[in-house]
């Protein structure tokens, strides 16, 4: 940070300097500690536990007596945090470690995303030269998911009930958005501000920042809670509007009409636009 990315000291280190260094640390610079953590996290049975930790629906209690959690803790993959109820829960060792693992597993699960849309498909309602409609992009992603589900998820990691891990859908969404925007000179950046139970995707396109929070739908109570959380996150980014994507196994037109309604947070003034992505 101080030598390679900020030549000519004593120039001040700015956020731009830090972001360049951090991006290089994520994608470019060799890091033996990270390579060792990945080598531990990719092994069975530890791999399945790590994938479970990416879920957004609930946190995992920590127990030092659990041999899998013990191994991941001693090898720098996870750490612990204590909640208001006095119980200890599992979290990734840091958001940086979580992001490196997310990138690794996303590439491993989906090295190829196939055809994202038809060659002559009209995408003007999704993207133009200077604007991006994130809710419409998510609806196109849902269509892509249904069109390609059989081959896309043929070899992905699955839980004991044979359903894909929640994280697998998050990996796929990230890869789709990344590939969709890459040749349009857009960026999709996964963020993990808490190190546990939260996935945000920052999208930079045509000089503008878009926020996308990703969750799995649980019930109406968690839905309302997620709306408030997304509004606070939007305010922290300085945004007037943010999109909230809910993965759900199945839904219907009546539920969409009821829940895919813009929410305006009274405290922050941020508008949250929920979008359901049916995986079934």
């Amino acid at each position: 940070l101080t030598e390679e990315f900020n030549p000519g000291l004593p120039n001040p280190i700015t956020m731009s300097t830090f972001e360049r260094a951090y991006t290089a640390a994520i994608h470019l610079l060799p890091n033996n500690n990270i390579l060792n953590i990945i080598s531990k996290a990719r092994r069975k049975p530890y791999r399945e536990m790590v994938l479970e930790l990416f879920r957004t629906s609930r946190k995992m209690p920590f127990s030092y007596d659990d041999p899998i959690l013990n191994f991941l803790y001693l090898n720098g993959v996870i750490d612990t945090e204590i909640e208001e109820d006095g119980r200890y829960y599992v979290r990734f060792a840091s958001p940086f470690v979580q992001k490196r693992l997310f990138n690794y597993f996303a590439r491993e699960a989906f090295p190829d995303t196939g055809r994202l849309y038809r060659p002559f498909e009209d995408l003007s309602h999704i993207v133009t030269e200077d604007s991006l409609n994130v809710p419409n992009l998510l609806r196109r992603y849902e269509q892509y998911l249904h069109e390609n589900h059989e081959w896309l998820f043929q070899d992905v990691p699955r839980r004991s009930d044979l359903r894909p891990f929640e994280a697998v859908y998050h990996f796929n969404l990230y890869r789709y958005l990344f590939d969709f925007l890459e040749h349009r000179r857009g960026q999709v950046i996964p963020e993990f501000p808490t190190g546990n139970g939260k996935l945000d995707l920052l999208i930079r396109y045509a000089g503008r920042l878009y926020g996308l929070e990703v969750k799995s739908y649980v019930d109406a109570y968690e839905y309302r809670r997620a709306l408030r959380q997304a509004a606070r996150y939007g305010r922290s980014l300085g945004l007037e509007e943010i999109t909230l994507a809910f993965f759900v196994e199945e839904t219907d037109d009546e539920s969409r009409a009821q829940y895919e309604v813009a929410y305006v947070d009274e405290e922050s003034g941020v508008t949250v636009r929920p979008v359901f992505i049916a995986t079934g």
Side-chain angles (χ1 to χ4, degrees):
L1 177 61
T2 58
E3 296 176 3
E4 182 174 351
F5 293 91
N6 192 38
L9 291 174
N11 292 336
I13 296 174
T14 64
M15 280 305 299
S16 177
T17 309
F18 172 79
E19 288 172 359
R20 288 201 306 273
Y22 191 76
T23 300
I26 293 291
H27 298 287
L28 175 66
L29 301 177
N31 187 321
N32 288 333
N33 288 334
I34 292 295
L35 292 178
N36 181 61
I37 285 173
I38 290 174
S39 72
K40 299 295 192 297
R42 63 181 294 195
R43 301 181 194 171
K44 291 186 176 183
Y46 312 109
R47 168 193 177 97
E48 286 71 21
M49 181 67 77
V50 172
L51 291 174
E52 279 288 352
L53 292 176
F54 278 106
R55 66 189 177 188
T56 59
S57 54
R58 66 182 186 277
K59 295 185 177 182
M60 180 181 298
F62 179 82
S63 173
Y64 196 77
D65 298 328
D66 186 308
I68 296 179
L69 293 178
N70 185 306
F71 177 88
L72 294 174
Y73 178 80
L74 293 177
N75 283 280
V77 181
I78 64 172
D79 203 344
T80 64
E81 63 181 0
I82 189 169
E83 291 290 317
E84 294 179 356
D85 60 6
R87 299 180 64 188
Y88 284 90
Y89 293 88
V90 180
R91 60 169 293 155
F92 284 95
S94 71
F96 176 73
V97 168
Q98 187 174 5
K99 180 177 285 192
R100 291 294 300 260
L101 289 171
F102 183 91
N103 287 345
Y104 171 80
F105 284 117
R107 285 194 302 271
E108 181 188 56
F110 301 104
D112 178 24
T113 50
R115 192 175 73 176
L116 306 183
Y117 45 82
R118 296 182 300 278
F120 296 101
E121 184 174 345
D122 181 13
L123 301 174
S124 59
H125 64 298
I126 297 175
V127 62
T128 66
E129 291 293 325
D130 56 6
S131 67
L132 179 69
N133 188 307
V134 178
N136 284 347
L137 178 55
L138 292 176
R139 294 183 183 102
R140 183 59 185 90
Y141 166 72
E142 183 185 44
Q143 182 182 338
Y144 158 85
L145 196 65
H146 296 167
E147 292 170 346
N148 299 276
H149 195 282
E150 185 173 349
W151 72 267
L152 265 178
F153 294 88
Q154 184 175 4
D155 298 318
V156 299
R158 295 178 180 272
R159 307 180 316 194
S160 56
D161 61 4
L162 300 183
R163 288 185 172 90
F165 286 93
E166 176 186 324
V168 167
Y169 291 105
H170 300 169
F171 299 152
N172 185 252
L173 173 61
Y174 165 68
R175 291 290 298 152
Y176 179 87
L177 298 178
F178 182 93
D179 290 350
F180 186 97
L181 291 168
E182 184 179 28
H183 74 279
R184 293 179 171 86
R185 306 179 74 84
Q187 282 184 294
V188 183
I189 307 163
E191 291 292 341
F192 307 94
T194 64
N196 193 351
K198 196 176 192 316
L199 169 61
D200 305 316
L201 297 176
L202 300 181
I203 301 174
R204 299 186 186 274
Y205 180 72
R208 183 177 171 185
L209 177 67
Y210 298 84
L212 171 60
E213 188 163 333
V214 183
K215 305 283 285 186
S216 286
Y217 182 81
V218 178
D219 53 32
Y221 172 80
E222 290 294 335
Y223 165 83
R224 291 188 293 270
R225 187 165 174 261
L227 290 175
R228 295 189 293 269
Q229 289 177 340
R232 288 195 295 269
Y233 179 56
R235 181 176 60 180
S236 72
L237 294 174
L239 299 176
E240 296 180 356
E241 182 176 307
I242 189 171
T243 305
L244 177 58
F246 284 104
F247 278 98
V248 63
E249 191 166 327
E250 60 182 0
T251 187
D252 52 46
D253 292 341
E254 183 179 348
S255 298
R256 288 187 187 274
Q258 180 178 356
Y259 289 101
E260 285 190 339
V261 177
Y263 163 80
V264 180
D265 185 65
E266 293 183 359
E267 180 180 346
S268 64
V270 174
T271 298
V272 182
R273 300 197 180 276
V275 179
F276 283 84
I277 302 172
T279 61

